[in-house]
Every structure is written in C-alpha cells, then in structure tokens.
C-alpha cells in the first residue's frame, strides 16, 4: 500500500503551504487511471494528519475520469483502465491525456 507514503507527502505539502494556520479542508483530484485508491487515501489521511496543522481537517477527493487520445484517428476515448481501444477505429495506440493525475486542488485554512 503506497498510499500511506503518498498521503504523508500530501499532508507535508499542505502543512507547508498553511504556514502555521489550521487547515480545515483539503480537496484532491485523483485520476481514475492512477494506481491510487481514493479509499486508501481517506483511510491514511486521518492518521497522517495527527499532530499536524491538518488535524481534524476534512478530505474531499474528486475522481478525474480517464481519457485517451487515439494516435491513429485522433478520437478521444473514455477509459476506465490505463489501456483500451479506440471507439472509432479500434486502434490500441492510445495516449492517455487525462486520468493519471494526483493534484492538491484546494485547501481551506482557518
Ligand atoms: Zn482511432
């Protein structure tokens, strides 16, 4: 479970940006094609926040859908896995253009 390390990093980055203020809410964007499980991040978040300025903060996770672009015909295809086939020409040569991100979208401080 690499989510613990990822969550620790997120908490560290947010804490640094908070500059000593209490953080009440953190919003993350997690791509559906990333290997990160949103549930695991939720699970680790409270543990990682203990003893930091994020203690008691609410975590919100927005799941970003996966999109691939076909190298052959240029069509954009929705993906639920990091591979697939083009809806138009059935090509398997897809570039993933969305869905692999992990971003801290917003944070609220008190
Ligand atoms: Zn295509």
């Amino acid at each position: 479970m690499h989510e613990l390390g990822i969550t620790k990093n997120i908490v560290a980055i947010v804490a640094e940006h908070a500059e000593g203020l209490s953080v009440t809410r953190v919003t993350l964007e997690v791509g559906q094609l990333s290997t990160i499980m949103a549930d695991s991040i939720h699970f680790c978040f409270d543990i990682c926040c203990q003893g930091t300025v994020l203690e008691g903060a609410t975590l919100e996770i927005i799941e970003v859908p996966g999109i691939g672009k076909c190298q052959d015909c240029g069509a954009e295809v929705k993906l639920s896995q990091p591979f697939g086939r083009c809806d138009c020409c059935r090509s398997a040569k897809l570039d993933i253009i969305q869905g692999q991100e992990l971003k801290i979208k917003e944070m609220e401080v008190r």
Side-chain angles (χ1 to χ4, degrees):
M1 190 162 89
H2 62 299
E3 280 83 358
L4 184 60
I6 292 165
T7 311
K8 273 184 185 164
N9 279 338
I10 291 164
V11 169
I13 293 164
V14 171
E16 200 184 308
H17 280 84
E19 295 174 338
L21 296 169
S22 291
V23 177
T24 51
R25 180 190 289 270
V26 177
T27 307
L28 298 181
E29 272 185 358
V30 178
Q32 283 180 342
L33 304 182
S34 71
T35 55
I36 300 154
M37 305 295 294
D39 285 351
S40 302
I41 300 268
H42 268 294
F43 179 77
C44 298
F45 186 76
D46 286 344
I47 302 164
C48 292
C49 286
Q50 277 171 25
T52 74
V53 292
L54 281 81
E55 197 164 331
T58 311
L59 176 68
E60 206 177 301
I61 294 180
I62 299 167
E63 289 196 75
V64 181
I67 297 177
K69 192 174 166 78
C70 178
Q71 289 178 11
D72 289 330
C73 75
E76 290 187 5
V77 190
K78 273 189 192 155
L79 296 173
S80 55
Q81 300 162 317
F83 51 85
R85 283 190 179 275
C86 175
D87 289 337
C88 301
C89 72
R90 310 306 297 159
S91 169
K93 284 186 265 174
L94 300 176
D95 289 325
I96 292 164
I97 57 172
Q98 183 186 288
Q100 290 182 310
E101 53 275 85
L102 171 66
K103 277 194 293 200
I104 299 168
K105 191 167 185 279
E106 275 174 10
M107 55 185 272
E108 251 174 50
V109 293
R110 187 163 44 213

